[in-house]
Amino acid sequence: MSARACATGVAYLAKERAAAIEAVESASRVCKAVFKKLVTDETLTKKDKSPVTVADFSAQAVVNSIIEKHFPDDAIVGEEDAKDLRGDEGRALREKVVDLVNSTTKHPMSADEILRAIDRGQYAGGPTGRHWALDPIDGTKGFLRGEQFAVCLALIIDGKVRLGVVGCPNLPYNISKPDEERGVLAVAVEGQGAFQRKLGTDQSAETRISVSNVMETRDASFCESVEAAHASHSDNAKIAALLGISKQPVRMDSQCKYVAVARGDADIYLRLPTSNTYVEKIWDHAAGNVIMQEAGGRVSDIEGKELDFSIGRTLSANKGVVAAGAGIFDTVIAAVKTTLANKR
Ligand SMILES: Nc1ncnc2c1ncn2[C@@H]1O[C@H](COP(=O)(O)O)[C@@H](OP(=O)(O)O)[C@H]1O
Ligand SMILES: [Mg+2]
Ligand SMILES: [Mg+2]
Ligand SMILES: [Mg+2]
């Protein structure tokens, strides 16, 4: 049991862990329902993003209302807000969201309750107290392609991520058996290790996960975004070349990448910035960060600095993200620094 276990023998953040899993499970079901109902060949060929919009709002409403049920005083930093669902202009979208939320939950919610739940996610974040960080669908582009996406929820206390849950409805449970059942839930609490279970199962199905123990970067493989706008594929390739990596990168959307590295499917996560202006958001990294660390990995920005979740809604003190097992992390950061210095 963790050093933070309380006198009653209940593990640190046990109630929060269970609530976060309930929320991520429910939102994952919402996302799957949206995909089945609304993503068609037509939306894909027309590059119509409306299904993911409905899923984003619905999933945020479901997660926020579950958090509120268990922890009415907790603040939430959520990616979405309900502005586009209000008034006459928002009517069509609002009705779709209300239908969806109520088709997947036991307790129907009114339109007003749903909008209010979504807008509970507007908290500014910061260095003290506790707040949740929610990405209702991370990897929206992957969702629309029917590929990887994730529902990501983390609890930040006094500026540090203490708990993270990532639901990955399309990720194979066992990467070497990609044709078998898909759907993974990864979870970690500070000091307690990282675990995975199949989505839709209970805690008794959890198994511990850990990063690979690769010691030579030439034997490593790396993971990067599918979208070249989110991570520089060319800088990543230069770093890989410096590290002697010959394996092709594993490209996937969303925080499923953190889960993949945390359980040893790949060895390095590289997210080299594509611009000087983009600022990473806390909900894109919070849950993955604690899962990686609890799986024995290290995470930093491109300068080797820890990600600072204490500033607000963004990671404004950091640029890019690098993650890897402890055995190769310093070598990877050295290669990142050399590659970026050569660009100047
Ligand atoms: N220029 C940019 N650089 C880095 N990340 C970006 C970006 N523009 C958007 N993103 C973020 O990248 C996330 C997806 O990451 P990935 O490429 O790893 O799948 C998006 O999350 P959403 O899909 O939740 O909007 C979005 O927040
Ligand atoms: Mg995201
Ligand atoms: Mg999102
Ligand atoms: Mg987004």
Side-chain angles (χ1 to χ4, degrees):
M1 186 163 295
S2 101
R4 287 180 182 245
C6 71
T8 57
V10 177
Y12 175 57
L13 298 182
K15 192 176 164 219
E16 287 80 352
R17 185 188 202 271
I21 289 173
E22 178 190 343
V24 168
E25 285 275 2
S26 302
S28 299
R29 287 196 293 275
V30 168
C31 297
K32 284 202 278 191
V34 174
F35 190 82
K36 254 192 176 159
K37 268 196 195 163
L38 299 181
V39 180
T40 60
D41 288 346
E42 200 185 337
T43 47
L44 287 180
T45 48
K46 286 187 180 161
K47 298 208 183 309
D48 170 6
K49 296 203 180 81
S50 57
V52 76
T53 312
V54 174
D56 270 325
F57 288 126
S58 306
Q60 180 151 326
V62 165
V63 170
N64 286 4
S65 63
I66 292 173
I67 292 173
E68 184 176 17
K69 176 181 75 178
H70 292 286
F71 303 103
D73 298 329
D74 278 2
I76 304 170
V77 174
E79 181 180 3
E80 312 299 338
D81 68 69
K83 205 169 56 247
D84 293 347
L85 301 179
R86 295 188 190 277
D88 278 348
E89 276 170 30
R91 182 191 305 271
L93 188 53
R94 181 168 71 242
E95 284 171 357
K96 280 193 187 146
V97 169
V98 172
D99 273 358
L100 241 148
V101 169
N102 287 331
S103 71
T104 53
T105 55
K106 277 185 236 142
H107 308 289
M109 290 164 79
S110 69
D112 275 354
E113 284 171 326
I114 288 172
L115 299 192
R116 207 184 47 79
I118 294 170
D119 275 342
R120 276 186 68 87
Q122 294 196 53
Y123 185 63
T128 52
R130 51 187 262 159
H131 55 270
W132 299 82
L134 167 66
D135 194 336
I137 296 193
D138 183 39
T140 41
K141 304 246 167 82
F143 174 82
L144 283 171
R145 285 190 244 99
E147 296 172 10
Q148 296 310 323
F149 70 96
V151 177
C152 308
L153 181 60
L155 178 61
I156 295 170
I157 303 177
D158 294 337
K160 288 224 153 63
V161 188
R162 315 288 177 171
L163 156 70
V165 179
V166 176
C168 312
N170 290 338
L171 190 67
Y173 182 72
N174 180 340
I175 204 66
S176 59
K177 295 179 180 166
D179 298 327
E180 288 189 2
E181 207 183 336
R182 286 164 183 244
V184 174
L185 182 137
V187 52
V189 173
E190 182 185 31
Q192 295 174 16
F195 297 82
Q196 72 165 353
R197 50 161 108 161
K198 290 182 182 167
L199 263 179
T201 60
D202 64 17
Q203 196 166 358
S204 65
E206 279 179 12
T207 55
R208 194 152 183 160
I209 54 174
S210 53
V211 295
S212 77
N213 53 11
V214 67
M215 294 304 286
E216 299 288 347
T217 57
R218 65 170 178 272
D219 301 326
S221 59
F222 72 99
C223 221
E224 65 184 1
S225 291
V226 175
E227 298 296 324
H230 298 173
S232 169
H233 288 172
S234 56
D235 284 345
N236 288 358
K238 284 181 204 148
I239 293 159
L242 254 185
L243 291 170
I245 293 175
S246 54
K247 289 180 197 153
Q248 285 302 305
V250 181
R251 286 193 179 146
M252 68 172 83
D253 302 276
S254 82
Q255 287 178 63
C256 289
K257 286 188 282 297
Y258 282 114
V259 176
V261 177
R263 65 182 192 175
D265 297 350
D267 309 291
I268 303 167
Y269 172 124
L270 286 179
R271 191 183 193 85
L272 272 283
T274 54
S275 78
N276 282 327
T277 50
Y278 185 77
V279 185
E280 296 283 352
K281 312 299 182 294
I282 61 169
W283 52 79
D284 279 326
H285 301 283
N289 189 272
V290 65
I291 289 169
M292 258 305 285
Q293 289 179 343
E294 288 298 319
R298 289 173 62 191
V299 188
S300 75
D301 66 6
I302 51 174
E303 285 164 6
K305 268 194 312 189
E306 271 188 30
L307 303 188
D308 184 350
F309 291 91
S310 77
I311 298 173
R313 293 173 66 90
T314 65
L315 294 168
S316 54
N318 301 107
K319 277 275 167 227
V321 183
V322 177
I328 57 171
F329 184 82
D330 290 333
T331 312
V332 175
I333 288 292
V336 170
K337 286 184 177 167
T338 305
T339 302
L340 294 181
N342 288 342
K343 274 177 73 170
R344 283 188 198 118

